[in-house]
Amino acid sequence: EAQVTQNPRYLITVTGKKLTVTCSQNMNHEYMSWYRQDPGLGLRQIYYSMNVEVTDKGDVPEGYKVSRKEKRNFPLILESPSPNQTSLYFCASSLRGISTGELFFGEGSRLTVL
Amino acid sequence: DAKTTQPNSMESNEEEPVHLPCNHSTISGTDYIHWYRQLPSQGPEYVIHGLTSNVNNRMASLAIAEDRKSSTLILHRATLRDAAVYYCILRDVPNAGKSTFGDGTTLTVKP
């Protein structure tokens, strides 16, 4: 089944403890992206990747890192999480990063930073 | 980046058509209009997209104004399963990698 898989789905952590949210897609998509969703602010893009080894900042990249070493994986790294990074995170992928591309989203990862 | 404006919420009765509006007055000539929806506790899912002409697919229809400054997503017969948040976004050719979703329209479907 074609899908975007995120792990963990739920996580409670403490300020400053590094964590990684993984994202994997099995559709051989070139494009991948991370979003955070907060009440009243919609979905905001954190980082995106047009292809392997190519990443770019979205609208809210501060406090996050990403890497794209393989086509299928696009992990989101929080080096020193803070409470304002408590949010619902979504990973998405698309065949290519073009204006007509359909985005496929994962089920989301709910992160709480205490 | 061109922005979109949608009503916060709309209501519909089951089995009736629903017209969800979106304003994008600063749209550029190369912006594609995309619609996604997010069911409760799920990630967004693609609904439809278009550039200038009206578009139809199995889920919905997209009507685009002649001046492209607004568009309307049409659900021909709303079902309870269509209750969701609907997002209208623009994706342009030079910056196709970037995409931002606003707050969308929360659609409530009444039985």
Side-chain angles (χ1 to χ4, degrees):
Chain A
E1 180 190 351
Q3 58 187 4
V4 178
T5 304
Q6 298 179 222
N7 279 297
R9 295 287 313 282
Y10 301 91
L11 178 63
I12 300 174
T13 189
V14 295
T15 299
K17 186 176 181 182
K18 180 180 178 180
L19 69 93
T20 300
V21 185
T22 64
C23 175
S24 180
Q25 49 90 8
N26 62 0
M27 297 170 278
N28 201 35
H29 283 173
E30 290 183 355
Y31 176 87
M32 297 185 76
S33 181
W34 275 103
Y35 300 83
R36 60 178 289 173
Q37 186 171 37
D38 303 289
L41 295 174
L43 274 157
R44 293 178 293 168
Q45 191 177 37
I46 303 171
Y47 270 96
Y48 64 96
S49 170
M50 298 293 275
N51 212 328
V52 175
E53 302 291 2
V54 180
T55 61
D56 262 304
K57 295 178 181 179
D59 295 321
V60 289
E62 295 79 18
Y64 305 94
K65 284 176 57 177
V66 292
S67 68
R68 188 89 182 277
K69 293 184 171 60
E70 309 165 279
K71 201 171 190 179
R72 65 181 294 129
N73 296 321
F74 190 43
L76 179 70
I77 304 157
L78 286 74
E79 294 270 3
S80 182
S82 62
N84 64 14
Q85 292 178 298
T86 292
S87 187
L88 179 58
Y89 291 87
F90 288 100
C91 179
S93 73
S94 181
L95 184 60
R96 283 188 293 278
I98 57 176
S99 54
T100 56
E102 173 185 345
L103 290 166
F104 293 83
F105 283 83
E107 294 189 340
S109 296
R110 186 169 293 281
L111 171 65
T112 302
V113 183
L114 301 175
Chain B
D1 291 340
K3 292 199 182 299
T4 63
T5 304
Q6 299 175 253
N8 287 335
S9 61
M10 290 185 66
E11 281 189 356
S12 171
N13 293 318
E14 199 176 9
E15 299 191 3
E16 290 185 357
V18 182
H19 289 66
L20 297 163
C22 181
N23 286 319
H24 26 80
S25 57
T26 59
I27 191 170
S28 74
T30 55
D31 281 336
Y32 279 79
I33 303 159
H34 287 245
W35 283 81
Y36 284 77
R37 73 179 187 180
Q38 187 174 19
L39 302 172
S41 303
Q42 294 188 25
E45 65 174 345
Y46 169 82
V47 177
I48 201 167
H49 78 272
L51 182 62
T52 56
S53 304
N54 294 345
V55 185
N56 300 298
N57 67 19
R58 63 174 178 80
M59 287 181 72
S61 296
L62 175 60
I64 301 172
E66 200 167 329
D67 63 5
R68 298 204 336 120
K69 293 186 176 182
S70 65
S71 61
T72 303
L73 180 70
I74 302 166
L75 307 178
H76 295 286
R77 284 183 72 220
T79 69
L80 296 178
R81 289 169 50 184
D82 290 322
V85 179
Y86 287 79
Y87 298 98
C88 166
I89 67 169
L90 303 178
R91 299 187 70 188
D92 67 354
V93 172
N95 300 295
K98 298 199 76 172
S99 60
T100 298
F101 293 63
D103 275 342
T105 297
T106 300
L107 175 65
T108 301
V109 180
K110 296 185 287 186

